[in-house]
Amino acid sequence: MLLAQGEERKSEIDVLGIVIADDQDRERTWLRELLTKHLSIHTSIFEAEDGQKALELVREHKPPVVFLDIEMPKLSGIKSAESILKELPQTGVIILSNHSDEIFVRKLWKLVPPDGAFGYVLKDSTDQQVIDATKAVLGGDCWIHPRIQRIIRRTENGATGLTDAEFEVLVCIAIGFTDKATARRLYITEKAVQARLKCLYTKLGIPIKGASEEDEYNHRCRALNLSFRRGLINRAELADWEEQVW
Amino acid sequence: MLLAQGEERKSEIDVLGIVIADDQDRERTWLRELLTKHLSIHTSIFEAEDGQKALELVREHKPPVVFLDIEMPKLSGIKSAESILKELPQTGVIILSNHSDEIFVRKLWKLVPPDGAFGYVLKDSTDQQVIDATKAVLGGDCWIHPRIQRIIRRTENGATGLTDAEFEVLVCIAIGFTDKATARRLYITEKAVQARLKCLYTKLGIPIKGASEEDEYNHRCRALNLSFRRGLINRAELADWEEQVW
DNA sequence: AACACGTTTAGGGTGAACCCCAGGTCACTT
DNA sequence: AAGTGACCTGGGGTTCACCCTAAACGTGTT
């Protein structure tokens, strides 16, 4: 889980191939040039501008490591990672994201096999950090950005980390469902939905009614606000959830 | 309002100075190099990594055009633009954003003087589009990305564009306030809040109760969902609204 | 075996959030 | 002067979303 600090041994990375997936030209160019500086000459870099193509390139070349941006057309980086890890579990996936949304951490955490190596780099990371992450993943270790590590700790804390059950109802109220509609969707009773919601509100730190000051907040909307700001909800996911038939 | 198509006259831009503000090194580098190619030799480019510094550079050099990223530390691009346009209204502001959020369009629309020139470029724009925008703004015209133009049309449409009153209550329910708390905050009655909300729901296209199928949606949360996806609400703004004392 | 924990389900109560209808002000247009 | 549109306010009603307490189940821990 820890990172290999930049050991000064000329830092040359010697692998067969690497796949880079990002929909923005400029990001790909930057990363390609950065990697080229540190790779041996006979390494090929393959580029994809969407998740679908990334998946195909990985199938074709079976690289030890693949860089995935999260926001991509056709197939998101997370979904690509899911397919990749299902077919080739030993692939080292390095997520390269703009945002530190908790939801991505949640998803990824379930995707990666216990002994798998993966990386999580934010786009404001330094060049050195990206190189460190690449080396770590190639060596079978994980490299996770400090900000992401903080989020992981939060999800693992019993008092603040949401269970799957709580997350399910959060998704439903984020779509805008009533309790009744949510119950129908999840095949549970309305009372169960409310019980889950109550836990959710507590974990998000919403003050219970009657406590201290006047009841200033609508719990349901307040939960959406806090979830939003924690990155448990975001625009892309909202659109995604509604499309699905479940 | 229209753009000057790339007239092939060697495209050299001759101005005294240009300010670029973006918190990401790579974006600044890209833009600087792009502009350098098209600028005359004796033009200086000044760079800022946050909104505060951008403001100071503009005050110092009074450039005819300034590029502003929206997401920046200390002072957002929008707020920088507000200060800049208040002090030096003839400055050509070009917003360079990752996102096409309706809220930014709303804000900017009120900031720019009627006869002012400004640009709105998205980060997936082509190099040519950025150059076109720069030329247009220098020439006193506006250049607005097609996707942004669509949004502007939506805000101007009476059936879908929100009034200031409706937007105010939207902000309040996004924070998570109850109707009562909202009424207190806006110095109106609870009934007035509900009247505004009713209009809001209609404009967002939420089906009224009793219509067609069963009542599937919680209007309040559904409104947040739709507003979120329209870009009327986003994470940065949520945090911002709550900090303010109003 | 005893315990904690997450989860489901229940009954019963309150207030918030929504519905419709109607009357009123104000600014701007015709 | 009449009309239009956006907004505030009121009364009166229904439903939804929350509160409390309590019982029961399975799982994994001690």
Side-chain angles (χ1 to χ4, degrees):
Chain A
M1 170 90 50
L2 283 182
L3 48 147
Q5 224 38 287
E7 309 147 47
E8 288 300 343
R9 51 169 173 80
K10 195 61 183 166
S11 69
E12 202 177 62
I13 304 173
D14 192 1
V15 289
L16 288 172
I18 287 186
V19 169
I20 296 176
D22 198 315
D23 58 332
Q24 290 202 25
D25 290 357
R26 296 196 284 281
E27 290 295 329
R28 284 206 308 274
T29 304
W30 158 73
L31 185 56
R32 187 200 330 122
E33 289 176 356
L34 174 62
L35 288 174
T36 307
K37 278 188 221 154
H38 295 266
L39 289 168
S40 66
I41 316 173
H42 54 283
T43 301
S44 319
I45 295 183
F46 310 100
E47 298 186 27
E49 68 280 349
D50 64 61
Q52 185 59 46
K53 182 145 187 224
L55 184 53
E56 289 162 13
L57 285 178
V58 170
R59 277 186 187 132
E60 187 180 348
H61 300 102
K62 300 189 176 37
V65 59
V66 49
F67 284 86
L68 293 176
D69 181 28
I70 289 193
E71 296 174 295
M72 286 190 293
K74 293 186 188 175
L75 206 62
S76 77
I78 298 283
K79 288 182 183 168
S80 303
E82 186 173 1
S83 300
I84 289 172
L85 289 170
K86 201 175 291 175
E87 297 180 25
L88 301 161
Q90 76 281 27
T91 308
V93 170
I94 299 182
I95 297 290
L96 188 67
S97 171
N98 269 314
H99 310 289
S100 51
D101 286 6
E102 186 169 334
I103 179 165
F104 297 140
V105 176
R106 274 188 82 85
K107 289 187 166 186
L108 218 68
W109 210 239
K110 308 198 172 175
L111 251 49
V112 181
D115 60 335
F118 79 101
Y120 204 121
V121 182
L122 297 178
K123 284 200 178 163
D124 58 3
S125 297
T126 62
D127 288 3
Q128 185 58 49
Q129 287 178 315
V130 176
I131 296 297
D132 286 347
T134 312
K135 284 188 199 167
V137 170
L138 281 170
D141 288 327
C142 289
W143 194 97
I144 292 151
H145 192 284
R147 215 179 310 154
I148 301 295
Q149 289 189 22
R150 267 215 314 276
I151 292 176
I152 292 176
R153 244 174 278 132
R154 184 169 59 189
T155 64
E156 286 176 342
N157 180 330
T160 54
L162 304 189
T163 64
D164 289 343
E166 285 146 7
F167 189 74
E168 274 182 340
V169 291
L170 172 59
V171 169
C172 285
I173 66 170
I175 293 176
F177 285 150
T178 59
D179 288 357
K180 194 192 295 180
T182 303
R184 226 180 305 148
R185 190 63 56 113
L186 300 179
Y187 301 106
I188 53 179
T189 62
E190 220 171 314
K191 284 293 180 183
V193 173
Q194 294 174 348
R196 289 185 181 187
L197 283 175
K198 198 192 163 202
C199 293
L200 177 67
Y201 298 150
T202 305
K203 288 194 179 172
L204 289 175
I206 298 174
I208 50 167
K209 191 180 159 188
S212 62
E213 327 186 20
E214 308 164 35
D215 29 283
E216 184 122 58
Y217 290 122
N218 174 317
H219 293 186
R220 210 179 182 85
C221 292
R222 187 64 183 159
L224 293 183
N225 179 313
L226 296 172
S227 301
F228 196 6
R229 291 164 67 185
R230 259 176 72 160
L232 282 162
I233 301 174
N234 66 37
R235 185 145 47 157
E237 294 300 315
L238 277 186
D240 217 44
W241 291 330
E242 297 203 43
E243 279 174 17
Q244 286 177 32
V245 195
W246 296 41
Chain B
M1 169 87 54
L2 284 182
L3 48 147
Q5 224 43 286
E7 309 146 47
E8 290 298 344
R9 50 168 175 82
K10 196 61 184 166
S11 68
E12 201 177 61
I13 304 173
D14 192 0
V15 289
L16 288 171
I18 287 187
V19 169
I20 296 177
D22 198 315
D23 58 333
Q24 291 201 25
D25 290 357
R26 296 197 284 284
E27 290 296 330
R28 284 206 307 276
T29 304
W30 159 72
L31 185 57
R32 187 200 329 120
E33 289 176 357
L34 174 62
L35 289 174
T36 307
K37 277 188 222 155
H38 295 265
L39 288 168
S40 65
I41 316 172
H42 54 283
T43 300
S44 320
I45 295 184
F46 309 100
E47 298 185 27
E49 67 281 347
D50 65 61
Q52 185 58 48
K53 181 143 188 229
L55 185 52
E56 289 162 13
L57 285 177
V58 170
R59 278 186 185 130
E60 187 180 345
H61 300 102
K62 301 189 175 38
V65 60
V66 49
F67 284 87
L68 294 174
D69 181 28
I70 289 193
E71 294 174 295
M72 285 190 294
K74 293 187 188 175
L75 205 62
S76 77
I78 298 283
K79 288 183 182 169
S80 302
E82 186 173 2
S83 300
I84 289 171
L85 288 171
K86 201 175 288 176
E87 295 182 26
L88 300 161
Q90 75 282 26
T91 308
V93 171
I94 299 182
I95 298 291
L96 188 66
S97 172
N98 270 313
H99 311 288
S100 50
D101 286 5
E102 186 169 332
I103 180 168
F104 297 140
V105 176
R106 273 189 83 85
K107 289 187 166 185
L108 218 68
W109 209 240
K110 306 196 174 180
L111 251 51
V112 180
D115 60 334
F118 78 102
Y120 205 121
V121 182
L122 297 177
K123 283 199 178 164
D124 58 3
S125 296
T126 62
D127 289 4
Q128 184 58 50
Q129 286 178 315
V130 177
I131 295 298
D132 285 346
T134 312
K135 285 189 201 166
V137 170
L138 281 170
D141 288 327
C142 289
W143 194 97
I144 293 152
H145 192 285
R147 216 179 309 156
I148 302 295
Q149 289 190 20
R150 268 215 312 277
I151 292 176
I152 292 176
R153 244 174 279 129
R154 185 169 58 190
T155 64
E156 286 177 341
N157 179 330
T160 54
L162 304 189
T163 64
D164 289 343
E166 286 147 6
F167 190 75
E168 274 182 339
V169 292
L170 173 59
V171 170
C172 286
I173 65 170
I175 292 176
F177 285 149
T178 58
D179 287 358
K180 195 192 292 181
T182 303
R184 225 180 306 145
R185 189 61 57 113
L186 300 179
Y187 301 105
I188 54 179
T189 62
E190 221 171 313
K191 282 291 180 183
V193 173
Q194 294 174 348
R196 289 186 180 187
L197 283 175
K198 197 192 163 205
C199 292
L200 177 67
Y201 299 152
T202 306
K203 288 194 179 173
L204 289 175
I206 298 173
I208 50 166
K209 190 181 160 189
S212 61
E213 329 186 19
E214 308 165 36
D215 29 283
E216 184 123 56
Y217 290 122
N218 174 316
H219 293 188
R220 212 180 180 84
C221 292
R222 186 65 183 158
L224 293 183
N225 179 312
L226 297 173
S227 299
F228 198 5
R229 290 164 68 185
R230 259 176 72 161
L232 281 162
I233 301 174
N234 65 37
R235 186 145 46 158
E237 293 301 315
L238 276 186
D240 216 45
W241 291 329
E242 297 203 42
E243 279 174 17
Q244 286 177 32
V245 196
W246 298 41

